[in-house]
Amino acid sequence: MKKSLCFLGACLLCLGLTSCAAAEQDAFQVQIICRSSGIQQIFWSCYLDGVFYGSGGMADLDGEELTAESELVPCFSRAYLDGADPIGFSIDFSPYAEGRTTPLGTTDQVSIPAQYGACYTVILSGDEATGFQAELQ
């Protein structure tokens, strides 16, 4: 039951985050391309100037494995960041496999010199054995 509620919460958060329009000038987006296999959910933590700011998660609404074609686009609005300048934004990712309640690992923080109105792409790759990496494209 707890797992189902956590998954549902992640799905709802995913819906709320992906509703941000790409052209919106009071927000920026981070498109995640998942090149790791066996991943069902990805949780992220974001930072401003190295200080933890917030977290969220993403999953396929049908509960399927995430792929490079999955729609994974969290949106960070000016309101979410309390009007802060996002130039010092960074984010890390913790992928989860089906049935797992702990992450398979966590990437290093990826620095994104963000600006409102822009969209950035991050590639998530790797596996549990060798570690996960996130790279800004």
Side-chain angles (χ1 to χ4, degrees), residues 30-36 42-44 91-95 106-112 121-126 131-137:
V30 179
Q31 176 184 12
I32 293 95
I33 297 176
C34 182
R35 293 201 175 139
S36 297
I42 300 172
F43 285 83
W44 51 262
I91 190 168
D92 62 31
F93 303 94
S94 299
T106 300
T107 68
D108 290 335
Q109 289 180 30
V110 176
S111 294
I112 301 174
T121 300
V122 173
I123 306 294
L124 176 68
S125 60
F132 291 91
Q133 302 82 39
E135 180 182 356
L136 179 65
Q137 292 297 295

Side-chain angles (χ1 to χ4, degrees), residues 3 9 11 18 27 29 34 48 57 65 68 75 87 89 99 114-115 125 128-129 136:
K3 178 182 163 191
C11 291
T18 58
Q29 295 178 327
C34 182
L48 283 176
E65 181 176 317
C75 181
I87 195 77
F89 183 85
Q115 296 179 349
S125 60
E128 187 175 20
L136 179 65

Side-chain angles (χ1 to χ4, degrees), residues 31-96:
Q31 176 184 12
I32 293 95
I33 297 176
C34 182
R35 293 201 175 139
S36 297
S37 62
I39 304 302
Q40 297 262 238
Q41 300 177 50
I42 300 172
F43 285 83
W44 51 262
S45 295
C46 68
Y47 309 82
L48 283 176
D49 299 321
V51 177
F52 175 78
Y53 201 82
S55 59
M58 301 165 284
D60 181 90
L61 295 178
D62 295 323
E64 299 295 321
E65 181 176 317
L66 299 176
T67 68
E69 288 75 38
S70 298
E71 300 259 343
L72 307 170
V73 189
C75 181
F76 300 93
S77 69
R78 188 180 306 269
Y80 177 79
L81 297 175
D82 296 323
D85 184 346
I87 195 77
F89 183 85
S90 61
I91 190 168
D92 62 31
F93 303 94
S94 299
Y96 287 72

